Amino acid sequence: MDYELYYYCFFSVLINGVPSPPFAAEKGLRQGDSMSPFLFAIGMEYLSRCLYELDTIPDFNYHPSCEKLHLSHLMFTDDLLLFARADECSVKLLLQAFTKFSLAFGLSTNMDKSEAYFGGISDKTQVVLLHILGMVSGSIPFRYLGVPLSSKKLTIRKCKPLIDRVTARINGWAAKHLSNAGRMQLIKSVLFGVQTY
């Protein structure tokens, strides 16, 4: 007689500090599922709250370009950008808020894929901040979700690789045997998916 062994992973959710009864996760979403960004947003709500709490701490300073908007972070799926003024206190508070989230959810940062970006500060200050963060220094411009990010205005040349990728997809569709209406619908749906991503 053959036996099949099933393994279940059990989860519990904290609601107002009280854990819910454990439940089994028998199914999940496939990678690239259109629901993934929404589930990610729900899961990352706690991280946003931890980072929004920095606004109540007088020692925390926003990045000068982000101060008016009170912007401390941008995130999508497993990509996260954190912003702060390049002073020891602000960086430590930012890291402390992120660590609070990590401990609560059991998630950790992959330091091999993490970089810190600086502008307008001395090399000595950079070394101190890199030591606090435990990261290596990256160079600007860098890509975030396929779009180059820079401290200066983006040029067409910097966005050309992204434009070329979208154009190559559209050119490939021209060979398909679709009516003009069908081709238009295909273009709309794929471009909407790219925009959502």
Side-chain angles (χ1 to χ4, degrees), residues 45-76:
E45 177 64 23
Y46 182 66
L47 174 59
S48 292
R49 289 181 185 197
C50 291
L51 294 170
Y52 289 141
E53 286 176 5
L54 294 173
D55 199 27
T56 63
I57 302 172
D59 292 337
F60 178 76
N61 297 303
Y62 287 96
H63 184 279
S65 298
C66 303
E67 196 164 6
K68 282 184 182 177
L69 298 173
H70 289 240
L71 180 67
S72 60
H73 64 289
L74 292 174
M75 59 184 156
F76 187 81

Side-chain angles (χ1 to χ4, degrees), residues 52-127:
Y52 289 141
E53 286 176 5
L54 294 173
D55 199 27
T56 63
I57 302 172
D59 292 337
F60 178 76
N61 297 303
Y62 287 96
H63 184 279
S65 298
C66 303
E67 196 164 6
K68 282 184 182 177
L69 298 173
H70 289 240
L71 180 67
S72 60
H73 64 289
L74 292 174
M75 59 184 156
F76 187 81
T77 56
D78 61 351
D79 289 320
L80 174 66
L81 292 175
L82 298 173
F83 305 102
R85 185 178 292 162
D87 61 65
E88 272 188 65
C89 186
S90 297
V91 170
K92 283 180 180 176
L93 287 168
L94 194 67
L95 188 60
Q96 183 181 358
F98 183 75
T99 304
K100 178 181 173 183
F101 161 79
S102 294
L103 292 173
F105 276 76
L107 298 173
S108 60
T109 307
N110 184 344
M111 290 302 185
D112 294 333
K113 293 183 176 180
S114 300
E115 296 178 334
Y117 301 94
F118 302 101
I121 62 169
S122 68
D123 291 341
K124 183 179 177 183
T125 306
Q126 284 187 34
V127 170

